Amino acid sequence: MKRSFFSITMLFFILLLAACGDKSQEDVMADLENKLETMEGYKAEATMTVQAGEEPQSYDVDVWYKQPDFYRVFLSRGEDEPSQIILRNEEGVFVLTPALNKKFKFQSDWPENSSQPYLYGSLVKDILMDPEASFEIVDSQYVFQTKTNYKSHQTIPAQRIYLNKDLSLARVEALDSNGAVLVQVDVASFEFDPAFEEDAFDMERNESAAQIMEMPAVAEENEEDSHAEEAAAVTSFPVMYVDESLGYDLVEEKTISQEDGDRKILSYKGEEGSFTLIEENVDVDLEAERPVFMPEGEPVNIGTSIAALNKGSISWSAEGIQFYIASNDLSQDELVTVAKSVQAQAGK
């Protein structure tokens, strides 16, 4: 009987010690706040899967961050697709598409103004700023569910953030109003306070490095298709349309011939309002000479490409085509939804 009582007592103390070893939500949030204040930066490699169109789109995400506000986000869908880089340095915020010599410059405080599912600091701030954030410990990971601040993605009101015990990022699930996962980020590696080369966030260095990485695939493709391209008309390209399920009717479609290619102008109208979709060939040589300056706007993810979102318009490049949507009626969230439906076709 004494032995049984002793065993029960020891088991109670073991369980008590185990319970004391788990941190509370307040403890973890305090540790996260301290981590933001003391870390010098981080590097992360992840895979992001986005529900865009009929099939999910996945691509690799490589994130560098250096205190206080330098960012480099490299996004790639594979060897056959041009990569994109979101870069923030002392000169401003840029979106680069090196294979197309395409640059957008933003007058923006990105990423401070909205949630970002692949940026550690943005996610931690979402946790700290949400008084209703839930918390649990699952499989030795800290799991928070919080509200989001996607200004251009009102369809993503919540997110689940998975952190390892050392506070590094493990996984993020961006959720719709029904709790379904629209965007999932799976982190393969995460390193706090890495060493960065002096020019790690320089625009020219990042453009050149990305172009070198993509050169073999581009060269091979050009060699295989050179004869076909000579025979084909350079002014023609397949027109991408808005998904009919969105409820917008195509009321007019016209083509304007230009020296450097055709310009397609599509006019749509629906219950939410009207808008114009313009598609034209990307003039690579011209874009190499001068970056496009955007007086206002934000870089936003539309599934398989990064777009420039402004008040009343959104633009992006894909498959050698420049897309531009303008509307006096549609909200920014509606513009992003329309752009995603077009880009889903271009990404197939």
Side-chain angles (χ1 to χ4, degrees), residues 240-246 248 268 275 277 338 341-342 345:
M240 305 296 178
Y241 296 94
V242 175
D243 192 329
E244 294 180 354
S245 65
L246 296 182
Y248 298 100
Y268 284 88
F275 62 88
L277 167 61
V338 171
S341 79
V342 177
Q345 300 177 57

Side-chain angles (χ1 to χ4, degrees), residues 165-179:
K165 287 295 181 73
D166 65 354
L167 302 183
S168 62
L169 187 61
R171 186 165 82 248
V172 180
E173 297 170 346
L175 312 172
D176 66 12
S177 57
N178 296 318

